[in-house]
């Protein structure tokens, strides 16, 4: 654990990096907009200056395409990172992640079933996110039931059940892809993940559930600390274990499903962010959560920036970028950590 | 199967793209003999495989709706004993023929057992699927691959299929008729200025066509300077920012994408594109432009009309 003073510095640094990532994400894209134009447009939007004399295309690109995309990346990054933190805390295992325990693919499966059966606009557009949440929750519950032996859920069986469930869902998805015909590309998009093609409406749709999930996670951070010490000790210290586990699963599923419903399956953000920050600020969730909330958005904003500029004007799927960045980095961390088995 | 979908699957299964295209194609001399062809005939296909037909094939299996259309157009529909699947929907008689597709990891490979059971003496395929092609050859079924890279290449391919099947006269008639129709359309456009256009293959994510695709060749012939002409891949995801910047004057939506002009206009940022703001969003029947078959002249005509409405009163 680090000293409070140093923790403060870490948080300030993380906030500064997030701010820099936000500005960079807005300033840089497939189309070059001179920074002066960007600054003028932002200042105008903030009510500081009168409408500047800039090309209309620049204004549209900035406010209708780039800014919502960066904001959505921040929201999805936060949701995935906090979801990962909740699951890692619950399972007391740094490898727990919405994708690894099958929750993200469960959400994608739910969404894809609705898309294939009823179309993307089912129930006035509510069908897909609701199906994603149902898929995530059902997956988490099935995993929970499978892993539950007697009155308690053992972490090892839970993780095993999660891996088995993820495999089952992925074969169900392959099957759906075989039968889906022209929808195959749509499914492909959900599986690879992407933040393109989303506007402000996606942000207003997804903000309430993410906010709800983050607030709920924040109220649980004390219990999470106690559970980290061991289930038995947590119970002795007054944590209602089963209730805590159910709530963790619901919150983790809600956050993962919210992310999946607007961006598809994006891996490694929920795995890496809490894991890396635990190494820096320690395992106390009261300190960990603010750091995770700042770093998750940063990571996804930068990954998406790479996705949309690396081979511009063509784009890469952001899920491929996070896997590309996250995979080797994660392996490196695992390796570095081996000698002293902390975390 | 729709063109870009096939390409997606080919990419996903790690099969050959245009990079693997043999540089040299068709070994034989141009079909000089208008008679019912000379057999035995040996022709090298677009995979670089030499295929020999001892006599005109009597039981043909096609793997790709475009090949099915070619076989029917050559008057060989009665000899067709198997087609790829439910996308083989033209001419309507094709629907009644046994389907051999739907196998493999993505459900896009032929079912080897079914093919063998049909006892074909020729299978007409498109690029990709080296593994199952090898397997079928081992089982004694000749597989001939055609991969039309553009209109002229398609016409060449049709003549090649004519030689391979003994339908040289029908092939020559069809090929000349298509060339004549193409020349008429291109001629009608000779005095028209070229227009910038964008072809939407799919959304979301915004997906278009690269310069090496068959569709790109039709677009160029129809007088379009495509926004995605610089693309390095065949079916790239495209930046909406770049679309707004390039500001095409005609926006073409494939029927595979299926988006209505109103749906296109409702997307974030799209109203900044002139084509969208002026209502120049035109649906395109993908079957006519993405299937390298006899009907592409209709697709070319539709594209030309969409891009130059004034030239076709």
């Amino acid at each position: 654990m680090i000293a409070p003073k140093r923790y403060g510095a870490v948080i300030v640094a993380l906030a500064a990096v997030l701010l820099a990532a936000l500005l960079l994400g807005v300033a840089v894209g497939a189309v070059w907009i001179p920074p002066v134009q960007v600054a003028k447009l932002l200042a105008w939007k903030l009510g500081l200056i009168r409408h500047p004399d800039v090309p209309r295309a620049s204004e549209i690109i900035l406010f209708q395409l780039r800014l919502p995309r960066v904001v959505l990346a921040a929201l999805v990054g936060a949701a995935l990172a906090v979801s990962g933190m909740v699951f890692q805390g619950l399972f007391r295992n740094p490898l727990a992640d919405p994708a690894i325990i099958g929750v993200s693919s469960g959400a994608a499966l739910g969404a894809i079933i609705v898309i294939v059966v009823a179309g993307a606009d089912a129930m006035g557009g509510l069908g897909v996110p609701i199906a994603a949440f149902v898929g995530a929750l059902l997956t988490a519950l099935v995993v929970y039931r499978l892993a539950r032996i007697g009155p308690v859920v053992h972490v090892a069986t839970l993780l095993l059940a999660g891996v088995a469930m993820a495999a089952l869902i992925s074969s169900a998805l392959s099957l759906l892809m075989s039968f889906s015909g022209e929808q195959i590309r749509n499914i492909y998009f959900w599986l690879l993940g992407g933040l393109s093609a989303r506007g402000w409406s996606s942000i207003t749709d997804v903000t309430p559930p993410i906010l709800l999930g983050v607030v709920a996670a924040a109220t649980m951070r004390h219990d999470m600390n106690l559970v980290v010490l061991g289930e038995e000790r947590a119970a002795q210290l007054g944590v209602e274990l089963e209730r805590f586990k159910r709530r963790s699963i619901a919150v983790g599923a809600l956050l993962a499903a919210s992310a999946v419903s607007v961006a598809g399956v994006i891996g490694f953000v929920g795995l890496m962010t809490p894991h890396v920050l635990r190494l820096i600020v320690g395992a106390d969730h009261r300190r960990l959560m603010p750091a995770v909330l700042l770093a998750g958005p940063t990571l996804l904003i930068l990954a998406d920036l790479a996705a949309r500029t690396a081979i511009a004007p063509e784009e890469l799927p952001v899920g491929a970028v996070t896997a590309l960045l996250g995979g080797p980095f994660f392996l490196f961390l695992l390796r570095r950590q081996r000698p002293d088995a902390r975390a | 199967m729709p063109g870009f979908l096939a390409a997606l699957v080919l990419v996903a299964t790690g099969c050959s793209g245009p990079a693997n295209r043999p540089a040299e194609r068709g070994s034989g001399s141009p079909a000089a003999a208008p008679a019912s062809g000379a057999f035995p005939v040996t022709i090298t296909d677009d995979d670089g495989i030499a295929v020999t037909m001892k006599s005109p094939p009597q039981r043909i299996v096609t793997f790709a709706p475009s090949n099915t259309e070619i076989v029917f157009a050559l008057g060989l529909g009665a000899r067709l004993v198997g087609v790829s699947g439910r996308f083989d929907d033209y001419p309507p008689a094709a629907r009644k023929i046994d389907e051999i597709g739907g196998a493999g990891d993505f459900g896009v490979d032929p079912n080897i057992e079914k093919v063998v059971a049909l006892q074909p003496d020729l299978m007409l395929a498109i690029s990709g699927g080296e593994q199952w092609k090898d397997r079928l050859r081992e089982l004694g079924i000749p597989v001939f691959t055609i991969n039309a890279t553009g209109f002229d290449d398609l016409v060449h391919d049709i003549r090649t299929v004519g030689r391979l099947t003994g339908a040289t006269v029908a092939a020559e008639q069809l090929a000349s008729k298509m060339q004549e129709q193409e020349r008429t359309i291109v001629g009608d456009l000779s005095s028209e200025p070229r227009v910038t256009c964008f072809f939407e293959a799919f959304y979301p994510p915004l997906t278009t066509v690269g310069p090496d695709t068959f569709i790109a060749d039709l677009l160029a012939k129809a007088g379009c300077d495509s926004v995605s002409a610089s693309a390095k891949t065949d079916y790239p995801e495209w930046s909406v920012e770049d679309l707004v910047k390039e500001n095409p004057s005609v926006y073409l939506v494939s029927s595979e994408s299926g988006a209505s002009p109103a749906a296109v206009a409702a997307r974030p940022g799209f109203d900044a594109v002139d084509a969208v703001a002026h209502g120049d969003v035109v649906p395109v029947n993908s079957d006519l432009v993405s299937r390298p078959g006899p009907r592409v002249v209709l697709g070319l005509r539709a594209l030309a009309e969409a891009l130059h409405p004034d030239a076709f009163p």
Side-chain angles (χ1 to χ4, degrees):
Chain A
M1 189 157 294
I2 56 173
K5 204 171 171 186
R6 221 186 114 199
Y7 174 73
V10 168
I11 290 297
V12 169
L14 286 174
V17 173
L18 173 58
L19 188 67
L22 278 166
L23 287 174
L24 195 66
V26 171
V28 181
V31 172
W32 172 249
I33 303 178
V36 177
Q37 282 186 20
V38 175
K40 278 184 181 167
L41 283 165
L42 289 176
W44 165 68
K45 214 47 165 185
L46 292 169
L48 301 177
I49 58 171
R50 292 160 66 108
H51 193 282
D53 183 25
V54 296
R56 193 172 105 87
S58 297
E59 188 181 330
I60 301 240
I61 288 171
L62 199 66
F63 292 124
Q64 287 190 46
L65 298 172
R66 223 179 265 174
L67 194 58
R69 186 158 173 169
V70 170
V71 171
L72 193 65
L75 278 167
V76 169
L80 288 173
V82 173
S83 176
M85 185 198 76
V86 169
F87 285 130
Q88 287 178 17
L90 174 67
F91 304 146
R92 285 179 293 145
N93 189 318
L95 289 175
D97 163 272
I100 286 178
I101 65 163
V103 172
S104 289
S105 28
L109 180 62
I112 288 166
I113 288 174
V114 167
I115 289 173
V116 169
V117 172
D121 299 325
M123 295 168 64
L126 276 176
V128 170
I130 289 175
F133 178 58
V134 170
L137 200 62
L138 281 180
T139 310
L141 282 174
V142 167
V143 170
Y144 180 80
R145 291 279 168 199
L146 278 176
R148 187 186 171 114
I149 302 165
V152 288
V153 172
H154 291 281
V155 168
T157 45
L158 207 146
L159 279 175
L160 275 174
V163 171
M165 197 66 191
L168 188 69
I169 290 170
S170 115
S171 40
L173 284 171
S174 300
L175 210 62
L176 261 178
M177 283 171 94
S178 302
F179 291 122
S180 60
E182 297 186 6
Q183 291 280 6
I184 193 169
R185 181 89 205 201
N186 216 335
I187 296 179
Y188 186 70
F189 177 57
W190 276 82
L191 293 184
L192 277 183
L195 292 155
S196 66
R198 300 286 176 183
W200 290 108
S201 64
S202 293
I203 291 169
T204 46
D205 288 347
V206 86
T207 300
I210 290 178
L211 207 59
L212 181 68
V214 168
V215 169
T219 63
M220 292 162 65
R221 60 195 194 281
H222 185 66
D223 283 3
M224 284 183 211
N225 280 346
L226 296 177
V227 171
V228 167
L229 299 173
E231 294 187 359
E232 205 178 333
R233 263 193 80 189
Q236 286 166 358
L237 289 167
V239 179
E240 291 177 63
L241 266 184
E242 292 309 309
R243 183 164 168 274
F244 169 79
K245 287 178 184 173
R246 278 198 304 273
R247 279 188 63 188
S248 295
I249 283 172
V251 169
L254 176 67
L255 287 168
S258 305
V260 169
S261 70
V262 287
V265 177
I266 298 175
F268 285 98
V269 177
L271 184 66
M272 278 178 53
T273 317
H275 184 68
V276 172
L277 288 167
R278 206 175 282 113
L279 296 178
I280 298 172
V281 303
D284 182 342
H285 287 84
R286 291 169 302 180
R287 291 167 150 224
L288 183 58
M289 191 165 165
V292 165
L293 264 178
L294 290 170
T298 307
L299 181 59
L300 199 55
I301 289 171
L302 294 180
D304 186 52
L305 181 63
R308 59 199 165 88
T309 55
I311 54 165
E314 295 176 49
E315 293 194 356
L316 295 167
V318 70
V321 175
T322 58
L324 207 65
L325 296 172
F329 187 52
F330 183 61
L331 289 175
F332 168 74
L333 277 174
L334 275 182
R335 197 180 132 75
R336 222 187 59 165
Q337 223 193 305
R338 235 177 1 191
D340 61 319
R342 271 189 308 159
Chain B
M1 181 181 311
F4 78 82
L5 186 52
L8 160 72
V9 166
L10 296 185
V11 169
T13 51
C15 296
S16 81
N20 292 15
R21 235 172 252 154
E24 203 68 42
R25 34 180 330 141
S27 65
S29 53
S36 72
F39 285 88
V41 59
T42 299
I43 308 176
T44 303
D45 74 2
D46 284 352
D47 278 355
I49 307 273
V51 176
T52 301
M53 289 278 112
K54 289 199 178 68
S55 57
Q58 301 302 313
R59 297 179 62 82
I60 303 172
V61 165
T62 52
F63 200 66
S66 53
N67 290 352
T68 303
E69 295 193 24
I70 291 173
V71 168
F72 268 100
L74 296 182
L76 303 171
R79 296 192 204 166
L80 202 50
V81 294
V83 298
S84 42
R86 60 196 162 95
F87 291 114
D88 295 69
D89 50 9
Y90 191 90
R95 287 175 197 268
K96 298 194 184 78
I97 300 171
D98 279 344
E99 295 177 1
I100 56 155
D105 286 345
F106 287 83
V108 296
D109 290 350
N111 185 318
I112 306 262
E113 289 190 13
K114 243 180 175 170
V115 177
V116 172
L118 290 170
Q119 296 182 295
D121 47 13
L122 174 65
M123 179 164 187
L124 267 185
I126 54 171
S127 284
E130 275 69 19
Q131 284 182 347
W132 59 254
K133 284 178 182 173
D134 281 344
R135 188 84 193 92
L136 283 171
R137 286 189 200 105
E138 282 166 21
L139 294 165
I141 296 169
V143 180
F144 193 89
T145 299
I146 55 176
N147 174 36
T149 55
F151 182 84
D152 297 340
D153 193 26
L154 167 65
V155 172
H156 168 90
D157 284 345
I158 286 174
R159 290 196 168 108
T160 304
V161 173
R163 283 199 292 144
L164 193 69
T165 55
T168 42
V169 177
E172 185 49 43
Q173 280 174 354
L174 175 62
S176 333
K177 193 176 145 205
M178 287 173 70
Q179 280 176 320
E180 189 190 311
Q181 286 170 316
E182 181 249 356
R183 272 196 295 270
T184 307
I185 296 167
V186 172
D188 286 348
L189 296 176
S190 55
S191 57
E192 290 289 313
R194 295 185 74 80
V195 297
T196 53
C197 82
F198 185 86
F199 184 89
E200 173 180 314
F202 189 83
Y203 182 94
L206 184 64
T207 307
T208 182
V209 290
D212 293 331
T213 57
F214 188 81
I215 299 175
D217 185 55
L218 291 187
L219 289 173
K221 281 193 189 300
C224 156
D225 287 327
S226 175
V227 168
S228 57
S230 65
K232 288 163 203 73
T233 52
D234 280 352
Y235 299 92
E237 279 184 32
W238 205 255
S239 162
V240 184
E241 288 189 10
D242 187 68
L243 177 69
V244 169
K245 183 188 140 213
E246 295 296 330
N247 198 14
S249 38
V250 178
Y251 192 93
L252 303 161
V253 186
S254 90
S255 51
E256 260 173 84
S257 170
S260 66
V264 172
R267 296 175 189 157
F270 275 64
D271 51 349
V273 177
D274 277 352
V276 181
H278 301 156
D280 290 322
V281 177
V282 188
V284 175
N285 181 347
S286 356
D287 289 352
L288 299 184
V289 294
S290 68
R291 285 185 191 182
R295 291 192 293 163
V296 294
V297 282
L298 300 177
L300 179 61
R301 167 99 194 178
L303 289 176
E305 285 176 9
L307 291 157
H308 306 277
D310 300 335
F312 298 90

